[in-house]
Amino acid sequence: MPVDNLPELERINQIGYFDIDIDPSLDLFEEINKLKKEKNAVILAHYYQEPDIHDIADYIGDSLGLAQNAERTEADIIVFAGVHFMAETAKILNPGKKVLLPDLKAGCSLSDSCPPPLFKAFKDKHPDHLVISYVNCSAGIKALSDIICTSSNAQLIVESLPADQKIIFAPDKNLGGYINKQTGRNMVLWNGACMVHEIFSLEKITKLKERHPYALMIAHPECEEAVLAVADFIGSTTQLLQYAEQSSAQEFIVATESGILHQMRINCPTKTFIAAPPNNACACNDCPHMKRNTLEKVYLCLKYEVPEIIMDETLRLAAKIPIDRMLQLSAKLMK
Ligand code: 13P
Ligand code: SF4
């Protein structure tokens, strides 16, 4: 079906993704590289994307690295291979660029667990509290926050505030609980969680550790407390990757979304990475939202320049303030 007329492209923007077949003989890697050059576009991909998307990306990173790259890119088009809140953050930081998300329906269960009207009522009950929100939230929540953080800078940002500062942490109760434990704070936590990181089975991880006694268990702080308690190292996706690279261990049990394994295996070809098992038989440590993006959708969105992130300017400016604070604090604290 041709999609070179305007009404058809508007339809794609409305339904959120391309539902058309493409010529199976096309070499999508070659075509995407050609389009990137022609259009001065850049592909920013999160570690949880599928291997083909990693292989075509200009930058692969965690939420913080992606936001920093989106802010400073000089490309005209950013194809954001990640989920909606990430592409939205890129648009907030760099509004002059066209930001494309291969599938606008790539959401996030954690972000969805914190609707702005309910959070506003929660915040109003704690008027003397500062709000620190994890970047995995909508622009509406960002606009209600004082500082944004990611999993790689959350602890440093919390520690940079006076010890007696009252804080609300949203939306991830697991990351918030972990930071409370690390810092001795007593932040009030919003009751949100990530469907992927809550799925790991402590029982199966314990059995796996017995079968692989030399393996180190590395985990993302979005995992539940009981899983974090048996981890040898806890960190953001980039920090997990760096830890695996620098460690002398040869085997790792990895408790986070399975997409990171591709990059771990590329960067550490002699080491073994075992995905931590979920508490059921399906591949639930794949994020269904992240995996909505495919190489085909990356190609089509770059070719036709839809679906695009469009934002209300008032909301964008309000959401930018706490993100800017995070980026400034990160530059100072993470040297
Ligand atoms: P980081 O990439 O910051 O580690 O976050 C993980 C995540 O869940 C992204 O959705
Ligand atoms: Fe959201 Fe969890 Fe998927 Fe990350 S892995 S995008 S937090 S649902």
Side-chain angles (χ1 to χ4, degrees):
M1 190 200 312
V3 274
D4 36 19
N5 60 51
L6 216 54
E8 188 63 9
L9 290 177
E10 271 168 18
R11 185 184 72 83
I12 301 294
N13 235 356
Q14 273 160 17
I15 62 168
Y17 57 92
F18 281 92
D19 55 350
I20 57 171
D21 293 329
I22 52 178
D23 176 357
S25 68
L26 273 184
D27 179 339
L28 290 183
F29 287 92
E30 205 180 299
E31 295 299 321
I32 292 171
N33 278 327
K34 241 192 308 187
L35 287 168
K36 275 202 297 192
K37 272 202 201 103
E38 263 169 47
K39 295 179 183 235
N40 187 27
V42 72
I43 300 179
L44 306 183
H46 190 268
Y47 286 119
Y48 297 164
Q49 293 295 287
E50 60 174 44
D52 280 350
I53 297 180
H54 284 199
D55 295 346
I56 197 78
D58 298 284
Y59 174 80
I60 315 167
D62 66 1
S63 307
L64 179 64
L66 288 163
Q68 288 165 330
N69 263 271
E71 187 189 33
R72 63 174 170 250
T73 186
E74 284 177 5
D76 296 315
I77 295 178
I78 299 172
V79 175
F80 208 110
V83 289
H84 191 275
F85 75 81
M86 295 178 170
E88 192 173 60
T89 303
K91 187 71 185 174
I92 292 168
L93 288 169
N94 209 338
K97 310 297 177 190
K98 186 176 261 192
V99 179
L100 305 172
L101 181 60
D103 189 327
L104 271 188
K105 292 212 158 50
C108 168
S109 66
L110 179 53
S111 176
D112 291 348
S113 71
C114 195
L118 289 186
F119 184 69
K120 166 87 172 64
F122 180 76
K123 183 183 158 175
D124 289 347
K125 285 193 191 137
H126 303 86
D128 50 351
H129 286 56
L130 214 77
V131 177
I132 301 184
S133 293
Y134 188 34
V135 71
N136 298 35
C137 63
S138 63
I141 295 296
K142 290 185 175 83
L144 291 167
S145 306
D146 296 292
I147 314 177
I148 298 302
C149 69
T150 74
S151 49
S152 58
N153 60 22
Q155 187 173 334
L156 287 173
I157 286 181
V158 171
E159 281 171 341
S160 76
L161 298 172
D164 59 352
Q165 174 65 57
K166 292 180 180 167
I167 301 170
I168 293 175
F169 189 90
D172 189 7
K173 64 174 180 196
N174 291 318
L175 175 62
Y178 170 67
I179 302 296
N180 270 345
K181 214 165 156 192
Q182 292 299 105
T183 59
R185 307 264 174 148
N186 189 21
M187 300 187 294
V188 177
L189 308 179
W190 178 262
N191 189 21
C194 158
M195 62 190 278
V196 180
H197 288 89
E198 283 219 313
I199 207 85
F200 297 111
S201 156
L202 180 61
E203 199 188 323
K204 289 188 191 169
I205 290 174
T206 308
K207 284 186 187 147
L208 200 59
K209 276 165 85 83
E210 279 165 20
R211 286 206 302 278
H212 299 268
Y214 299 110
L216 294 182
M217 212 297 252
I218 59 177
H220 195 280
E222 286 176 25
C223 294
E224 288 180 323
E225 189 180 358
V227 169
L228 295 180
V230 297
D232 296 290
F233 178 75
I234 297 164
S236 75
T237 44
T238 297
Q239 290 164 343
L240 295 179
L241 184 61
Q242 286 168 349
Y243 181 81
E245 284 167 11
Q246 286 156 14
S247 167
S248 57
Q250 292 302 306
E251 256 188 320
F252 299 86
I253 297 168
V254 184
T256 189
E257 210 270 355
S258 61
I260 186 78
L261 298 175
H262 180 61
Q263 218 50 45
M264 286 179 167
R265 287 173 182 139
I266 290 177
N267 292 11
C268 312
T270 60
K271 298 185 179 180
T272 304
F273 297 97
I274 308 160
N279 55 23
N280 52 25
C282 70
C284 290
N285 48 348
D286 276 344
C287 172
H289 310 291
M290 286 277 181
K291 296 317 198 251
R292 285 190 71 95
N293 296 323
T294 60
L295 195 64
E296 287 75 11
K297 286 180 187 167
V298 168
Y299 163 70
L300 288 165
C301 89
L302 185 51
K303 185 168 162 73
Y304 297 108
E305 300 184 20
V306 284
E308 183 185 356
I309 301 285
I310 308 283
M311 284 197 76
D312 169 76
E313 185 61 3
T314 310
L315 177 61
R316 187 190 74 77
L317 289 172
K320 188 170 185 292
I321 296 168
I323 305 177
D324 283 343
R325 286 195 188 118
M326 169 185 80
L327 293 175
Q328 281 154 15
L329 277 171
S330 290
K332 197 166 110 193
L333 303 170
M334 295 179 81
K335 273 183 199 149

